[in-house]
Amino acid sequence: MAAHLKKLPGQLTVVIKLGTSSIVDEKTHEPILSILSVIVETAVKLHKDGHRVVLVSSGAIGVGLRRMDLDRRPKHLPKVQALAAIGQCRLMSLWDQLFGHMRQPIAQILLTRNDIADRTQYQNAQNTFFELLHMGAIPIVNENDTLAVTEIKFGDNDTLSAITAGMVQADYLFLMTDVDCLYDSNPRTNPDAKAIEVVEDIADLEADVSSAGSALGTGGMSTKIVAARLATSAGVTTIITKSSKPGNIAAIIRHAEAQRLTGISSRNSVTNFQDEGVPLSQTASLNLHNSTHDVSSLAQPTHARSPSPQLDAEQVPLHTRFLPIAHPIRDRYFWILHGLAPHGTIYIDHGARKALSDKAGLLPVGIVDVDGHFAQQEAVRIVVVKRLPAASPKATPKTTTPIAPIPSRTAAHPVLNSGHAPYTHPPLTHSMSSSAIITPPLYELHDPAPFEIGRAVVNYSASEIRRIKGLHSTQIHDALGYADSEYVALRENIAFFGIEKSRPNTPSAGRSENKEGGVGVDAY
């Protein structure tokens, strides 16, 4: 059963993420006490004002380098993990000392993706967060680098902070970085570069990222935009602002709340700004296109809060604010999308996609192809394709069509959208004996291009789905010798990237609900 954080009127939950470069000096690896002290004061002030605060803190490896008098981050994984173990103790000790001066209790939470891959463990972690916040403690979260390897890492603490914000049902996520905000062009080459204050639809945001993170950290501006997309899909207002000015957090919240309560939405608003102190090498250059996305409903308050006095424009600290989507993804569907790592891909036709939009489960008849090796009850990507007419049996050998791996959604050219991710596939070939035979593709590769719409937890393995794809549910037993379910994935185990509402509706009078919770439709 999904857990919920009970809030008082006017109470906010704020997640603040600090990168390694904000915590330790990149050259000396000494803690930057000036920033840490202001962060502590800001967090305690928010807490005393009745709000709930969660910190996501990087820096364990950087602190470990200082403790062991090492000049640079090692490349050997066991050494990095050992430094993380050493540094995490010192880092938490430092946080505890600073918060101790303010008589504020804190708690340590270390996570890997494996910790939340199981639904029960995800809920346990969520309940722990809620209980800590109820007790008045400030949780400090970090990835468990001592145990994490590539397969179970979140990738960077920007992603971890966004998942944390979704878990605790936060109102605000602050991504503290080396720059004040995002710009419409690179200030290094354009002296008239303007700061972007509000982004209403990340689908219209194409990022040309010039920052790849510091020598100690793993993130950059691109990871922050990806984290903003993840957090806003969960209904969290996400803000990028300068880490060296953490005292601005309270002022930004007052400004954002005043705009939200008065229904003000400055569409793609820009503010002239030049600051010679901004490290231009850390600046993201952005192209923001026109959008028809209607977010008028976002300005409506979800619960009563006491309005704060609106700041004058010149008093508002520079920042970029990403507004949450109109229909946030919550609870189980957020977990399916972001708590589970996909192990493969299922390609479906447009008829299957329409049926899923109508709240039906995924039947094998709508599946065009399968990629990857995955087992039952594992997560997969759902990619929509245009099915091509079946090839002649004489012209096509009876072999499995190899599918090229899908590029990462954060590849070299990250078109940061909310789910429609086009993919380019190389020519498909199959090797028979000593010659390569061109195998006709099963779906259109370019017009329209395949695009990912969401994730699903499947009832059958990859090898089983390859054998039943395109069949009606009544034929599953004949193909496999058994039929565990008529659905490849139940509707309750399918979540979308904010394109359609993820939550299934109650079946209407024209449909029959079967014993497994799916909708009884056997043809798309």
Side-chain angles (χ1 to χ4, degrees), residues 198-389:
V198 177
V199 177
E200 294 187 351
D201 192 349
I202 301 181
D204 295 323
L205 193 65
E206 295 182 0
D208 176 19
V209 181
S210 58
S211 168
S214 68
L216 296 178
T218 58
M221 192 59 71
S222 65
T223 65
K224 288 170 178 58
I225 299 174
V226 172
R229 178 180 59 193
L230 193 162
T232 54
S233 73
V236 182
T237 299
T238 304
I239 293 168
I240 292 177
T241 191
K242 199 163 189 175
S243 60
S244 62
K245 304 174 182 178
N248 289 341
I249 291 176
I252 293 173
I253 291 177
R254 288 197 299 271
H255 171 66
E257 283 294 286
Q259 285 203 328
R260 186 185 65 80
L261 289 171
T262 56
I264 296 175
S265 178
S266 304
R267 178 162 195 79
N268 296 343
S269 61
V270 293
T271 304
N272 286 316
F273 177 76
Q274 280 182 281
D275 187 349
E276 297 179 356
V278 174
L280 299 182
S281 62
Q282 301 291 320
T283 300
S285 174
L286 298 166
N287 298 315
L288 200 58
H289 300 289
N290 292 330
S291 170
T292 58
H293 184 57
D294 181 10
V295 293
S296 58
S297 62
L298 297 181
Q300 299 174 1
T302 55
H303 47 76
R305 293 172 183 156
S306 300
S308 301
Q310 187 173 352
L311 299 175
D312 294 334
E314 60 270 17
Q315 295 179 306
V316 179
L318 201 62
H319 65 282
T320 296
R321 185 166 75 257
F322 296 84
L323 300 183
I325 65 173
H327 301 287
I329 302 167
R330 299 285 195 186
D331 303 329
R332 179 178 180 83
Y333 302 99
F334 182 83
W335 170 72
I336 290 174
L337 287 174
H338 305 299
L340 301 177
H343 292 269
T345 304
I346 291 178
Y347 299 86
I348 65 173
D349 59 24
H350 288 272
R353 184 200 178 187
K354 183 179 184 303
L356 294 179
S357 300
D358 291 338
K359 314 306 177 185
L362 178 59
L363 296 167
V365 69
I367 296 177
V368 179
D369 214 335
V370 184
D371 182 32
H373 301 280
F374 51 85
Q376 296 179 9
Q377 300 305 310
E378 288 190 329
V380 299
R381 304 176 188 89
I382 303 177
V383 175
V384 177
V385 296
K386 180 181 178 181
R387 187 193 293 268
L388 295 178

Side-chain angles (χ1 to χ4, degrees), residues 438-450:
I438 301 296
T439 303
L442 300 177
Y443 52 85
E444 179 60 54
L445 299 177
H446 304 292
D447 187 22

